[in-house]
Amino acid sequence: MSTVSVQANFWWRTLEPVVLAHVGANAPAGPQNWGELARAWEWEPLLTAALLLTAWVYARGVRRLWAEAGRGRGLRRWEVASFWSGWVTVVVALASPLHPWGRVLFSAHMTQHELLMVAAAPLLVLGRPIVALLFALPKPEARQLSQVARVPWVKTSWRALTNPLVAWAVHAVALWIWHVPQFFQATLTSNFVHDLQHVSFFGSALLFWWALIHGGPGRRGFGVAVLYLFTTMLHTGLLGALITLAGTQIYPAYAVGGGRWSLTPLEDQQLGGLIMWVPAGLVYIVSALALIAGWMRSTEAEDPAPAGTALDASRSPEVF
């Protein structure tokens, strides 16, 4: 441990009783030791119902699709595995002890956000859930949904929303606004604001990754996706660096919890900034390399579904 860390820990241990006295009841409630953390699973009814419904719909759609088209056709095995990996990541981020831990440690809160934005979101998008949804629905309802999606104003609105520049801007604005201290602090005192933050992060991330992965085809589409990944890596890295190198406590609500986990508030903040800065940046780099590899293979023909299966106009994967 460096001399700076030793001194920081010394001063935090000295000042902790004073801080506790001033923060008191306003300190965020959450697990204070490993035993409490292990028992801190949270299964909120609405979230649990949404997770179970999503899992059931996707599993039903894949089962019906593969029954008609053949296993691994229409939705590849790796795409299905991607979806389930993303689904499990959402469970870890929102229902596991990581969620209440985020009320105590800023670094845990940042880990939760990164899991949603750079792990769960791209994995779910790679799983092509709309295809599974169409096959999970009865054919008449699937046909109606396809027809609605082809209504001119709906189609135009969706294309505008999933334009890579628009999706990039929406995600960037959500990320920076919610890290303004006043807004971030509010998430620790209001469950509604906290849920709104998660919806903003996760929803904008889904939109961002959807625009990049299912955006314009061909060389131009791949090139644009790599560009937006690179710029996202830059601005998220900048935000992470600003948090890491701030040198002062940005979020006072975390002035207590870190000390109970052998971290000073500043160390906790620096760790959270590093999580956004380095691991998340690596995800963007790996994703860009994967897109470049796909760019190089873009001329290869895809394996078509066999004739006579339910991959018809009423259940087309290209609804959106």
Side-chain angles (χ1 to χ4, degrees), residues 109-120 175 275-276 280:
H109 205 165
M110 294 296 286
T111 300
Q112 182 185 31
H113 294 164
E114 296 309 314
L115 284 176
L116 288 173
M117 292 187 289
V118 302
L175 191 67
I275 289 169
M276 171 181 281

Side-chain angles (χ1 to χ4, degrees), residues 98 101-113 268 272 275:
L98 181 62
W101 206 14
R103 293 194 290 265
V104 179
L105 288 180
F106 175 73
S107 52
H109 205 165
M110 294 296 286
T111 300
Q112 182 185 31
H113 294 164
D268 180 35
I275 289 169

Side-chain angles (χ1 to χ4, degrees), residues 30-89:
Q32 303 301 320
N33 54 59
W34 292 109
E36 292 183 9
L37 180 65
R39 300 188 298 270
W41 288 81
E42 292 189 347
W43 298 103
E44 296 180 4
L46 185 59
L47 173 63
T48 302
L51 287 169
L52 292 176
L53 178 61
T54 303
W56 179 81
V57 169
Y58 192 84
R60 176 184 174 91
V62 171
R63 184 174 63 251
R64 285 186 167 185
L65 170 59
W66 284 358
E68 297 183 24
R71 184 173 293 273
R73 308 297 297 276
L75 279 172
R76 301 177 182 89
R77 296 173 191 267
W78 70 263
E79 290 173 327
V80 174
S82 294
F83 177 87
W84 289 117
S85 298
W87 186 88
V88 170
T89 303

Side-chain angles (χ1 to χ4, degrees), residues 76 297-304:
R76 301 177 182 89
R297 297 194 306 267
S298 61
T299 56
E300 297 180 6
E302 294 186 0
D303 180 25

Side-chain angles (χ1 to χ4, degrees), residues 6-16 264:
V6 171
Q7 291 177 346
N9 274 293
F10 170 77
W11 285 111
W12 170 244
R13 300 294 174 253
T14 303
L15 295 174
E16 182 178 12
T264 68

